[in-house]
Every structure is written in structure tokens, then in C-alpha cells.
Amino acid sequence: MVVPPRHESETTRTIGVTGEDLRARAHREQMHVRLLWVSAGFCLLFSCVAVKLTIATVLRPMAPEQRQIAPQVPKIPKIDPKGSLAGDYALPQVHRASIVDRNGQTLALSLPVAQVYANPQELIDPQEVAHKLKSVLHDLDEQETAQRLARHKQFVYVARNISPQQELAINNLGIPGIYFEPGEQRHYPLGRMAAQIMGAVDIDDNGIAGVERFFNKRLLVDRKPLRLSLDIRVQSAVREELAAAKDTFQAIGACGIVMDVRTGEIIAMVSLPDYDANEFSHASNDERFNRAVTGLYEPGSTFKLQTTAMGLETGTIHIWDSFSSIPLKIGRFTIRDMKNDHFAPWLSLPEVMAYSSNPAAAHIALDVGGKKQAEWLRNMGFFAPVPVELPEAARPLVPRQWGLATTMTVGFGHGVAEPPLAIVRGTAATVNGGILVAPTLLDQENLDTPATNTSPADQFQQGVEDAALSQTLATPTMGTGAPMPEAPIIPQGVRVLSESNSALLRKLLRLDVTQGTGKTAESPGYFVGGKTGTAEKIGPHGGYLKHVNISAFTSIFPMNAPRYAVYVMLDSPQPTPQTHGWTTAGWNAAPTVSRVISRIGPMLQIFPDLEHASQIDAQLAIPMHPAVPRGVRPLGPGNDPGDPRKLEAEHRATKQAAKRAQEAGTRTLAIRKKTAEENMDE
């Protein structure tokens, strides 16, 4: 038996082990290579993710999707170094257009907000949810909110009108069952400024007052800002002076208006007391009350301007006529002047206007006649609401029957009640060449859509006739280096007065300031013209309140080239030592107008012209006693067709004749009836 050598088997085992090791080593190397490739793949993948995240979060961050947060979160505005977007920029996430003044100053705008609501059935712990919400909404009543969230409902409002920052903060809390509803909130950045004009919107963002209501559809459909005719600088100045006068004379209310007599654009309209437009729901009725268009007041002697214009235009009176200032009896009442003992028994027409005589104005009205007087006032728009873009415009109070007493009292501004804007409109028509313009709150220069300045009431058709202003309206220069426009704006509207009579009335209005009751309204270099008006206030139960007045002054400046009407009214002013116990317009409303004109003139690019003052005053001068043309018999002593005694006698005679005719007709009918009955019997 041959036994193999030992070293061969060991060698063989050694070689076998070595082969296994080689195979294991090769397998491990293969696995290492695979792991390296996998690692490289993961490194590449993570590198791509890192690059993508860097781009998305650092280099080019992505905006949040609309489904992630409510759509009212504003976009980052574009850089606008030249301010080209000022006044016309609208947030893309709001629907109601903003409102700006004629210079682009924002008066009203909508801000993005959100409404927070919850589905209580999706909440886990209402108490914890309320506690978390309290950390963002500090005014939230935590206990009450927790009780509401515990109800078995699917919808509960948590908070309204929260800011986008609060919305994001609540969203970051990650509370299931809390949702957001986009919305917008109206904001008035100037607070009290023009509050009654702005009005307000309701919770659904629909206008409920003021221009917000009048232009509600326009503001919701067209996102372009609505540009008003208001100049907020002038508005502020008028408000300050009016508030000072109201406090000085302890009046219960006041109003002021500035209007362009050529275009009807309302530059300022103030009513006091007023309120913060952002707090409309908390304002009192008196604060919301717009005295300029809703308030109805007896115009007093400011209406004598209309009486004079009516007499001149109808050809009934002339500048050289005279009228009795002797007190007139109407039943148990007497028409007299406050200072009639200082007047001559007969006053010329310039004196009637300058001294503001009530009996003389009544005589002029009687000369014209009640029928023509009513027709004149109707044509001047005093029988209908003023056509302005405010739904609060009130319908005037006018007599239903126009008898002898009505004709006389209306002649000096009693027996009718008109809003102040109607007085301003009528004043403008007497000085702008005789055109009745429609007052408007829209900026006409930048108007790209037809003005919606008609009212539901009967109004005149605008643009019936074009009127060329007289030469005095076209060429004057105000101040040094401030020429008036070469091509004057021609008023558009119905012609109610001839240019010659308009020029004459401008002189009479200037006379009232230089030598009449409106002396305190003078503002050097501005050639102010106007008419005072003081009327006793009517009490809540009817009847006049003694020593309680409505004091007003309606004015125009500059009178040599009429541009702006300025009106001031004080409701129930009290006497002061400076007024010597008087509460008439010449002591309170007129000086307020003077201060207003001095402040707003430069704002309106009209500067005082002191250099040519003597020449301009000479052009506007009119004698107190104009000469009577040869061969003309003027109205006056011995020629007084408006003598109420004569008219009353004629009226009685007419009534008696009518009564006799009626009785005769009745007797004739009785005879005919009797004859017919006898014939039937036969």
C-alpha cells in the first residue's frame, strides 16, 4: 500500500484556500465598485436637489401658490423712481377702485384683508385652537371663541378684516380646520377731510353714501382711480377757516363751498361738524349731515341777486330806477330793514343791492310779477335738486301757491328753502356770462368718460347754447407774472342771462363789497364781489326763531375775470364783543370769506394784483345814483307799478269782478233750469 506524501495534500489544501480567497476578494472588489457608483449617484442626486433648493429659495425664490394662502396677499410692487404710478396704482387683489383728488392725492382706497373662519367638526381641541389664535389676534376673546368653536356646526367666523401679516401668522400655526376668505376693506387716509363727500361702503363693499354710492358701479367695474374735482389743499384751508369761524361765533354748524364758475367743478365742499370717514358707523346723524347739499335754508338777502337779475333780464327794471324802502304791511307782518332809519325813502338799484333793502327788493319782485318770478326761479334750477354727484342732494322747499305775499317775501329770500350749492350755482350764472352750469364733483380736465352729473329730478339739458364770454373775462392778468389763460374756458349749459346784464351784475356785486354790507369780505388784490344774506332760522315746530340766524355770504373772485365762487354759511352764530352784538353775515360770514380767499388764491394760481388795483376798480365801478337817459321815465316816486296797495286794489277788483261774473252765471243757469222745467211740465 502506497501512501501519498503528506506535503501534497497540504499543498492541495493550501492552493484551494487561496482560490477561495481570490474569489472572495474579487467579489468584494466588485461590491466596492458598485457601492462607489451608487454613492456617486446619490451624491449627484443630492447635488441636484441642493442646487434646485438654492435656486428656489435663494437665487430665484418662488412665490407661494394661490391655493396655499388666500389670494389677497399683495405682490411686491415694481420700482417706480419717477413716480409714474402715483395716483393710478391699483392693487391687483382688490376690486374696488380708489378715489383721488384732482392732483392725484388718494382720498379712498381698498386694502387687502382676510376673513378667518373655522369648521368646528375638523378641530381637535377648541380651547387650544382659541389659545393659539389669541397669540396672533390679540383682541380676540379667547373664552368666547372657544365656546363658538365647540359648537356642532360646519362654519363659524373667527375674525374679520385681518391683515395679510396676521393671515400668514395664523397659517403658520398649522391648525387643521382653520380657513381664510379673501376680502378688502375701504380706507380713507385723510380721515375727516371731505368725509360727507366720500360717504361709505357696507360690509359687502357696496357704496351706501356719498360718491361711494353714486359711483358704486363705476368703482366696481373700472379699476382706474376715480378722479374728483376736489383740491384737497383748498379743502383743508376752507375747513380750517370754517372751523375757526364756527368756534369763534359758537355756531352749531357751518358749510363752505368753492366752485369754478366756468366749469361747475367743485374745488372744495365742507360741512361742519364732520367725522372721520373711517368711522362712518359711529358718526352721529348731525355729523353725517351734509349742509351743502342736504341742508335747506332760507337764502335771505343772497336771493336779492336773483331778484335783481330777474328784473334786469325781463326788462322790467333798469339800473337808473328807484324803489321804495318804506316798510310794507302783509297782514299782521311788516317787511322792514334792520337799519331802515338810515335809508332814504327811495333807493336806486345799486343802493338796493349795496344796502340790502328788503322792502325795495319786494317792490322789484312785485314789478316783475309772481308768475314771471316763479318761472325765473324754475329756470335757474331752484325748484329741483341740484344736479351733483351726491345721492343726498335734497329737493328745495318752494310755495305751492304763488300769491302776492309769496312774491314779496321770496323777493328778499324768505318763504323758500334752498341748499347752499343751489345758491352758489345761481351766483355763478350771474357772473360767468349768463350760463347755468351743472355743479360736478368730477375733474373735467382728466375726464375720459362722460360725467354722470344728472339727478333723477327735472334738470336742464346741458350744452343747449355756447356762450362767448365778454372781453373783460378773457384778458386780465392777476398779479405779477401770473397771466390768465389766453383761451378762456367757455361755460357749457343753458343761457339764462345776457352777457350785458351779467357784466352789470358783476359791478353791483363788487359794489356790495366796496361800499355795501359786504365790506369785511374784501381781500386786497382779489377784487371780491358778493352778497350778504341773513335769515331768521325756522324752529322745529314752524315759525321764526327770534335772534337765531342763518348767516351766509356768496362771493366771486376775481370780479374782473370771474373764476371761483366762494360761499360761507354759519348756522346760529352768536354775537361777540367784536361784532358789537350783531349776528348778521357782514360781521361773521363775510370776513370768513375774506380769509378763505386770501389763503386759497395762490393755491389756485391766482395771485393778488395790487399794481393794477386802481385801474381794475375803475373798470368795475358803478355810481350809486346812475344817470337817467334822456326821454326815459324811471321807476320811482309817482311811477311805482309794484306798489302793493295798488296791486292789492287791483287784486280785490279782479276777485270782485270774478265773483260778480260767477253770481251772474249762477243766476243765468237757475233761470235756464227753471225755464226747462216749465217746458217739461207743459
Side-chain angles (χ1 to χ4, degrees):
M1 176 176 182
V2 178
V3 178
R6 184 183 180 104
H7 68 274
E8 291 182 0
S9 60
E10 292 177 354
T11 303
T12 303
R13 284 197 297 271
T14 302
I15 295 173
V17 171
T18 302
E20 291 177 359
D21 290 342
L22 291 174
R23 285 193 296 272
R25 187 180 296 114
H27 182 68
R28 285 195 299 271
E29 290 176 354
Q30 188 178 10
M31 291 298 295
H32 288 165
V33 172
R34 289 177 180 175
L35 288 174
L36 287 174
W37 280 108
V38 172
S39 300
F42 274 106
C43 288
L44 179 62
L45 179 62
F46 280 112
S47 298
C48 292
V49 172
V51 171
K52 181 65 176 178
L53 288 175
T54 303
I55 295 174
T57 59
V58 179
L59 301 179
R60 296 177 60 186
M62 297 176 61
E65 296 183 8
Q66 293 295 328
R67 63 183 177 83
Q68 294 176 307
I69 58 176
Q72 76 274 10
V73 177
K75 296 180 180 179
I76 299 175
K78 298 180 180 179
I79 298 176
D80 183 29
K82 296 184 178 180
S84 58
L85 298 178
D88 289 330
Y89 181 72
L91 294 174
Q93 64 276 12
V94 299
H95 301 90
R96 193 173 186 87
S98 59
I99 302 175
V100 299
D101 80 339
R102 66 189 306 112
N103 300 314
Q105 172 68 51
T106 301
L107 303 177
L109 75 160
S110 293
L111 299 176
V113 294
Q115 327 298 340
V116 187
Y117 65 94
N119 184 348
Q121 296 185 5
E122 298 179 4
L123 301 178
I124 299 175
D125 186 349
Q127 188 67 45
E128 182 182 358
V129 171
H131 182 70
K132 289 183 177 180
L133 292 174
K134 176 72 173 180
S135 64
V136 177
L137 306 174
H138 303 297
D139 295 334
L140 192 69
D141 189 326
E142 183 177 343
Q143 191 62 33
E144 179 186 356
T145 303
Q147 294 175 358
R148 294 172 61 234
L149 294 178
R151 297 174 183 174
H152 295 287
K153 293 184 177 182
Q154 293 184 342
F155 183 92
V156 172
Y157 265 121
V158 177
R160 289 179 176 271
N161 299 331
I162 67 171
S163 67
Q165 291 80 4
Q166 291 174 314
E167 179 190 358
L168 291 173
I170 294 175
N171 187 70
N172 290 335
L173 295 175
I175 305 174
I178 296 294
Y179 301 94
F180 304 96
E181 184 179 68
E184 55 190 73
Q185 185 178 31
R186 204 63 167 170
H187 181 64
Y188 304 93
L190 299 183
R192 294 179 176 270
M193 206 62 62
Q196 293 100 340
I197 299 176
M198 292 296 102
V201 297
D202 60 15
I203 194 171
D204 296 320
D205 215 32
N206 291 313
I208 56 175
V211 295
E212 293 277 22
R213 178 181 174 185
F214 191 94
F215 292 106
N216 186 58
K217 184 176 180 181
R218 151 67 175 86
L219 292 168
L220 291 174
V221 173
D222 188 355
R223 290 169 53 82
K224 184 178 181 181
L226 178 67
R227 191 174 294 267
L228 300 184
S229 60
L230 296 178
D231 187 326
I232 211 63
R233 303 168 305 168
V234 178
Q235 179 85 7
S236 177
V238 173
R239 187 185 182 280
E240 288 180 8
E241 294 297 339
L242 202 63
K246 177 177 175 293
D247 293 340
T248 299
F249 301 106
Q250 301 177 20
I252 64 173
C255 92
I257 301 172
V258 178
M259 189 183 85
D260 191 322
V261 301
R262 307 162 304 167
T263 63
E265 292 173 288
I266 297 172
I267 310 301
M269 179 186 288
V270 180
S271 177
L272 297 177
D274 55 12
Y275 61 97
D276 187 335
N278 298 293
E279 302 292 335
F280 178 82
S281 60
H282 298 96
S284 65
N285 292 333
D286 189 40
E287 291 171 335
R288 295 181 190 178
F289 187 71
N290 190 343
R291 285 168 165 78
V293 295
T294 309
L296 299 177
Y297 309 95
E298 287 196 344
S301 295
T302 59
F303 232 43
K304 291 172 185 172
L305 173 60
Q306 296 301 322
T307 300
T308 302
M310 169 185 65
L312 292 171
E313 189 64 18
T314 58
T316 306
I317 65 174
H318 301 86
I319 193 64
W320 51 77
D321 291 329
S322 298
F323 307 92
S324 175
S325 64
I326 300 173
L328 294 172
K329 293 283 292 184
I330 305 180
R332 58 189 181 92
F333 299 101
T334 302
I335 299 175
R336 60 164 54 93
D337 292 314
M338 291 184 180
K339 300 179 181 180
N340 62 295
D341 56 326
H342 295 254
F343 294 165
W346 293 84
L347 299 176
S348 66
L349 183 58
E351 289 177 318
V352 172
M353 287 290 288
Y355 303 151
S356 194
S357 172
N358 292 338
H363 275 276
I364 296 175
L366 291 173
D367 289 342
V368 175
K371 184 177 180 180
K372 289 184 179 180
Q373 183 187 47
E375 182 181 357
W376 171 268
L377 296 178
R378 183 178 289 106
N379 291 339
M380 291 292 291
F382 288 112
F383 280 22
V386 182
V388 67
E389 298 89 351
L390 289 174
E392 296 83 7
R395 178 174 291 277
L397 300 178
V398 295
R400 294 183 178 180
Q401 297 181 348
W402 217 272
L404 195 64
T406 298
T407 302
M408 286 190 284
T409 55
V410 171
F412 55 91
H414 287 68
V416 294
E418 298 283 343
L421 186 57
I423 304 300
V424 175
R425 184 193 190 197
T427 302
T430 62
V431 300
N432 68 2
I435 303 300
L436 187 68
V437 297
T440 179
L441 283 166
L442 292 176
D443 180 21
Q444 300 299 296
E445 183 178 353
N446 297 291
L447 194 65
D448 52 6
T449 56
T452 314
N453 54 5
T454 57
S455 71
D458 298 332
Q459 301 296 339
F460 294 113
Q461 296 294 327
Q462 301 299 314
V464 174
E465 297 180 15
D466 289 338
L469 293 178
S470 60
Q471 188 66 23
T472 56
L473 292 176
T475 57
T477 299
M478 294 302 301
T480 58
M484 300 293 286
E486 294 182 0
I489 297 176
I490 299 177
Q492 301 296 315
V494 177
R495 175 168 291 282
V496 293
L497 198 68
S498 67
E499 291 184 22
S500 59
N501 283 330
S502 178
L504 181 57
L505 288 170
R506 289 198 292 273
K507 295 182 178 181
L508 290 175
L509 289 173
R510 177 61 181 160
L511 182 69
D512 186 66
V513 174
T514 57
Q515 302 183 47
T517 58
K519 291 180 181 179
T520 54
E522 180 68 301
S523 181
Y526 283 107
F527 312 103
V528 181
K531 185 71 191 74
T532 53
T534 304
E536 289 183 335
K537 190 174 180 180
I538 299 177
H541 305 294
Y544 291 100
L545 302 175
K546 293 297 182 182
H547 310 298
V548 181
N549 296 333
I550 297 293
S551 301
F553 190 81
T554 180
S555 68
I556 304 290
F557 83 99
M559 193 51 72
N560 60 316
R563 288 287 301 276
Y564 296 100
V566 179
Y567 177 94
V568 165
M569 183 274 289
L570 296 174
D571 187 347
S572 309
Q574 301 299 311
T576 66
Q578 290 74 21
T579 65
H580 307 289
W582 293 96
T583 59
T584 52
W587 290 99
N588 43 49
T592 305
V593 166
S594 174
R595 291 190 294 271
V596 167
I597 292 176
S598 298
R599 286 190 62 180
I600 70 173
M603 299 177 185
L604 298 171
Q605 297 301 304
I606 298 180
F607 303 93
D609 189 352
L610 300 176
E611 181 181 355
H612 306 94
S614 58
Q615 298 94 313
I616 294 175
D617 275 330
Q619 294 174 359
L620 294 172
I622 186 172
M624 276 292 192
H625 298 89
V628 180
R630 182 175 298 179
V632 174
R633 185 187 180 190
L635 299 181
N639 184 22
D640 185 11
D643 187 342
R645 293 170 298 181
K646 178 181 178 182
L647 294 175
E648 185 65 31
E650 294 177 354
H651 182 65
R652 286 198 300 268
T654 302
K655 287 182 64 176
Q656 291 175 358
K659 184 177 181 181
R660 288 195 296 267
Q662 184 178 6
E663 291 175 350
T666 302
R667 288 194 300 269
T668 302
L669 289 175
I671 293 173
R672 290 178 179 177
K673 183 178 180 180
K674 183 177 181 180
T675 303
E677 291 175 351
E678 292 176 352
N679 292 336
M680 290 178 63
D681 293 340
E682 293 178 358

